[in-house]
Amino acid sequence: MYILGISAFYHDSAAALIADGEIIVAAQEERFTRTKNDQAFPLNAIRFCLQFAAINIDDLDAIVFYEKPFVKFERILETFYTVAPFGLRLFLKAIPGWLKGKLF
């Protein structure tokens, strides 16, 4: 049984391939695009995982995407609160992106 896990659209998008409960391969998208903390859909990482295992997308039993944006947003708010007021400038820069797209 092959399961492809995908993380994307936040920080360090990546893909991982599991076969019979064991991690076979995992890769971050930034390794292929050379964009630090690349948050784009990890197409290159997915291709790498499938090629590494010598399988194609039809061989996958499941594709999963996991993200809990509210949990992550809460953690970010707690971090900013802990370092307040020193992180105010970064907070004001980060929050609009969360409210406009990442959170919902």
Side-chain angles (χ1 to χ4, degrees):
M1 173 181 240
Y2 289 106
I3 300 172
L4 178 68
I6 299 170
S7 175
F9 310 124
Y10 291 93
H11 175 343
D12 294 336
S13 40
L17 184 65
I18 298 172
D20 300 322
E22 299 289 325
I23 299 171
I24 302 300
V25 61
Q28 288 183 304
E29 186 68 7
E30 72 178 26
R31 301 296 181 209
F32 304 97
T33 63
R34 301 294 184 220
T35 301
K36 184 75 174 154
N37 303 325
D38 194 341
Q39 61 183 352
F41 186 79
L43 189 58
N44 296 300
I46 291 168
R47 283 187 187 130
F48 176 78
C49 289
L50 295 175
Q51 288 173 352
F52 183 89
I55 64 171
N56 62 49
I57 200 158
D58 295 327
D59 297 319
L60 296 174
D61 296 291
I63 300 173
V64 296
F65 177 81
Y66 174 78
E67 192 62 60
K68 287 191 173 183
F70 288 109
V71 173
K72 192 169 195 167
F73 185 65
E74 181 181 10
R75 189 174 65 239
I76 288 170
L77 290 178
E78 288 173 356
T79 301
F80 280 124
Y81 178 76
T82 302
V83 299
F86 303 108
L88 181 60
R89 193 174 318 152
L90 184 57
F91 174 81
L92 294 173
K93 183 178 178 184
I95 291 304
W98 274 91
L99 296 178
K100 290 180 183 174
K102 292 181 179 182
L103 193 56
F104 301 104

